[in-house]
Amino acid sequence: MSQIELIDKTKVPQHIAIIMDGNGRWAKQQGENRIYGHYEGVNSVRDVVEGAGQAGVKFITLYAFSTENWNRPKEEVDALMELLVATISMETPQLNKKNVRLQAIGNLNSLPPACLAELNESIDLTANNTGLTLVLALSYSSKWEIISAIKQIANDVKDGKISPDEISEKNIQQYLCTKHIPDPELMIRTSGEHRISNFLLWQLAYAEFYFTDKLWPDFRKADLFEAILNYQNRERRFGKTSEQLTNP
């Protein structure tokens, strides 16, 4: 029986978040520069998105570029932006063919104009698709997101739209980039690193974490299926005891 056949479709995580780590190290192992690893990583994105759709996942968020990544060497940043534009342009017809909707979160206005224009065009062209939603986290960091939310809440309090006593977990969620997206139930990080690197800090509060030593360019849909199977063998208690789950 194949891995996809072993997956219980009634227990598939609705939303999977992925930190795609290891492109640079993978390229170094091949004797190439870091950019080569990013180009190869696109193949993993394509395969994993296809696998997520086959498994019945509804949302997949990829940590594509963090606010901290702007501090990398200029030639690498420029190459990444060029790759992003080219990839989005090239992949949009396939997204439509596979009924995948594209969305993006992050400080998108900080992206180069050509990159932002291509991104917005692809978002518009896939807006009516009803299958998997692919969310790209671009120029994103959770601290940036939370600070932005706090500023918006402070302005709304100042303008009398909300009182401090009305601030709750539920309405804070409405000020986040992901207000229209369910919180991830599973977070995957490749490359053997065991940290979340300023990614969806609020949203990952009760997510299951899955770490693999595989570098991102080597990660494929079979690895995604393995992560989902691992997730399905875990007990998610949300603060309750095992006994409460078995004897509600």
Side-chain angles (χ1 to χ4, degrees):
M1 185 177 291
S2 66
Q3 284 178 304
I4 188 68
E5 292 175 312
L6 292 172
I7 291 174
D8 182 348
K9 293 297 184 67
T10 67
K11 295 171 61 179
V12 172
Q14 185 178 13
H15 183 181
I16 298 177
I18 303 180
I19 300 176
M20 306 178 293
D21 195 19
N23 290 333
R25 276 170 281 173
W26 185 89
K28 188 176 180 180
Q29 289 176 2
Q30 314 303 314
E32 301 284 351
N33 61 34
R34 293 176 55 84
I35 305 304
Y36 180 71
H38 295 302
Y39 275 89
E40 288 299 314
V42 172
N43 294 324
S44 296
V45 171
R46 188 180 297 117
D47 199 59
V48 166
V49 168
E50 181 177 323
Q54 291 171 346
V57 177
K58 298 300 182 185
F59 296 85
I60 186 165
T61 297
L62 304 179
Y63 202 9
F65 193 86
S66 74
T67 55
E68 290 85 358
N69 287 154
W70 290 113
N71 296 319
R72 289 188 176 185
K74 184 178 184 301
E75 62 177 11
E76 181 174 352
V77 172
D78 290 346
L80 282 170
M81 292 298 109
E82 290 175 8
L83 174 61
L84 182 62
V85 170
T87 301
I88 291 173
S89 176
M90 179 176 61
E91 294 297 326
T92 298
Q94 284 300 312
L95 294 179
N96 278 325
K97 183 178 180 181
K98 295 176 181 177
N99 198 26
V100 175
R101 179 177 59 159
L102 180 67
Q103 293 189 341
I105 59 172
N107 185 11
L108 302 180
N109 288 329
S110 67
L111 297 173
C115 181
L116 183 58
E118 194 69 48
L119 177 64
N120 285 332
E121 182 179 1
S122 185
I123 289 172
D124 289 342
L125 289 172
T126 63
N128 294 324
N129 293 341
T130 58
L132 172 73
T133 296
L134 168 61
V135 183
L136 298 180
L138 293 165
S139 193
Y140 172 90
S141 77
S142 199
K143 288 184 178 180
W144 165 85
E145 178 184 33
I146 292 170
I147 290 169
S148 297
I150 291 171
K151 288 179 178 178
Q152 293 177 60
I153 292 169
N155 284 330
D156 283 353
V157 169
K158 181 181 177 181
D159 294 341
K161 295 178 181 178
I162 185 175
S163 74
D165 291 338
E166 292 175 316
I167 298 172
S168 66
E169 179 180 329
K170 184 176 181 180
N171 56 26
I172 288 175
Q173 180 78 25
Q174 296 307 306
Y175 290 89
L176 300 177
C177 296
T178 56
K179 61 184 177 182
H180 299 305
I181 304 170
D183 288 344
E185 293 121 316
L186 173 62
M187 192 283 289
I188 299 170
R189 180 169 188 150
T190 58
S191 87
E193 301 291 352
H194 289 201
R195 58 179 180 270
I196 57 176
S197 298
N198 206 359
F199 183 46
L200 300 175
L201 298 177
W202 178 281
Q203 297 88 339
L204 292 176
Y206 268 105
E208 299 294 325
F209 288 4
Y210 179 88
F211 300 105
T212 173
D213 290 335
K214 280 199 173 183
L215 303 177
W216 178 248
D218 290 327
F219 195 89
R220 290 294 186 270
K221 67 173 69 174
D223 303 296
L224 176 71
F225 297 155
E226 183 177 334
I228 293 173
L229 288 169
N230 181 280
Y231 165 88
Q232 292 186 339
N233 286 324
R234 301 188 189 187
E235 182 180 69
R236 308 193 74 219
R237 298 194 298 273
F238 298 98
K240 296 181 179 181
T241 66
S242 297
E243 290 72 20
Q244 285 176 296
L245 296 178
T246 54
N247 298 295

